[in-house]
């Protein structure tokens, strides 16, 4: 004797009412793939750029903001991927790792250049043979002048003779950033004394000034 096949009863919602049918839009949304993780992509690009720049002399400091921004974007992208809002979770993890590696590389290069690669740090007054950079302070004063030169944290005082020849003071450094200062003022306030000053780093003039009773030169160097 043949019996009718048994079918499961229709799905019912709460309160015994049938569940509403799934619409085509809801079906498409359920089957849709998560969007691209733009933040992770940008974070990876910045992290790779920072990792490269970190090893370039004189512009390695640019790696700090690049890696920092890249890390923030990568972490936000990773959080969004975990929530399912976007895809590319693996890409977000890679971007995070690369940005952290860029930060560590930048810090390592800074420590190396400061304590190992460049020799003793600090502005040396007078100059030390073998330093990478040579600093020359120059003053001309027809009536003589009192000269103070060096950096904000370390200065020397000397007297420039009354001569048209330039007085010179020497300094040197290997690495670091310094605000070099040079001040020359006349010994006799009653004398109209033309004074000029200049600061040269590795033979290149980085600051110059002149005045009748005082001259002041400053320059940021690194």
């Amino acid at each position: 004797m043949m019996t009718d096949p048994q079918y499961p009863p229709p799905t019912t919602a709460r309160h015994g009412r049938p569940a509403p049918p799934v619409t085509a839009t809801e079906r498409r949304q359920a089957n849709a793939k998560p969007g691209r993780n733009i933040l992770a992509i940008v974070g990876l690009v910045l992290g790779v750029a920072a990792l490269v720049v970190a090893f370039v002399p004189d512009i390695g400091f640019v790696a700090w903001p690049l890696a920092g921004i890249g890390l923030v974007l990568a972490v936000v992208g990773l959080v969004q991927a975990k929530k399912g809002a976007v895809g590319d979770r693996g890409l977000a993890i890679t971007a995070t790792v690369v940005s952290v590696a860029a930060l560590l590389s930048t810090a390592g290069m800074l420590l190396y250049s400061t304590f190992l690669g460049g020799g003793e740090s600090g502005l040396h007054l007078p100059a030390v043979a073998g330093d990478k950079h040579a600093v020359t302070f120059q003053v001309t004063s027809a009536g003589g002048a009192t000269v103070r030169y060096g950096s904000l944290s370390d200065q020397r005082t000397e007297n420039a003779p009354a001569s048209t020849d330039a007085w010179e003071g020497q300094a040197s450094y290997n690495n670091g950033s310094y605000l070099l200062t040079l001040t020359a003022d006349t010994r006799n306030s009653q004398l109209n004394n033309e004074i000029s000053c200049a600061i040269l780093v590795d033979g290149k003039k980085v600051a110059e000034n002149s005045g009748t009773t005082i001259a002041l030169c400053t320059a940021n160097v690194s």
Side-chain angles (χ1 to χ4, degrees):
M1 179 178 178
M2 299 293 294
T3 59
D4 295 333
Q6 300 295 318
Y7 294 98
T11 304
T12 58
R14 297 180 61 182
H15 309 297
R17 296 180 181 178
V22 179
T23 64
T25 301
E26 292 174 339
R27 189 179 296 110
R28 285 195 300 268
Q29 291 177 348
N31 295 329
K33 295 182 180 180
R36 297 303 304 272
N37 198 330
I38 302 300
L39 294 180
I41 295 174
V42 177
L44 179 60
V45 171
L46 293 177
V48 171
L51 197 57
V52 173
V53 172
F55 296 94
V56 179
D58 299 328
I59 63 171
F61 63 91
V62 179
W64 286 113
L66 290 177
I69 296 173
L71 179 60
V72 172
L73 295 178
V75 171
V76 174
L78 181 59
V79 172
Q80 291 183 346
K82 287 183 176 180
K83 292 181 178 179
V86 293
D88 300 325
R89 179 177 179 181
L91 182 63
I93 294 175
T94 302
T96 302
V97 173
V98 171
S99 297
V100 171
L103 287 173
L104 294 177
S105 299
T106 305
M109 291 300 296
L110 177 63
L111 293 175
Y112 175 81
S113 62
T114 301
F115 298 105
L116 299 176
E120 185 182 356
S121 62
L123 182 69
H124 299 143
L125 290 168
V128 174
D131 279 358
K132 289 182 178 180
H133 304 286
V135 181
T136 302
F137 301 91
Q138 292 182 343
V139 171
T140 57
S141 173
T146 300
V147 180
R148 288 174 290 275
Y149 66 100
S151 65
L152 288 179
S153 59
D154 187 8
Q155 292 191 345
R156 299 290 187 273
T157 301
E158 294 187 16
N159 292 323
S163 172
T164 55
D165 296 331
W167 167 94
E168 290 189 352
Q170 304 294 331
S172 63
Y173 66 95
N174 280 306
N175 48 66
S177 298
Y178 307 96
L179 177 60
L180 302 178
T181 64
L182 172 59
T183 305
D185 57 82
T186 184
R187 302 174 198 164
N188 186 351
S189 59
Q190 304 299 321
L191 178 65
N192 188 11
N193 185 13
E194 285 292 336
I195 304 176
S196 63
C197 65
I199 301 177
L200 294 83
V201 177
D202 298 331
K204 181 180 179 180
K205 188 175 294 185
V206 295
E208 62 180 339
N209 201 355
S210 61
T212 55
T213 58
I214 187 172
L216 171 64
C217 291
T218 61
N220 281 302
V221 298
S222 59

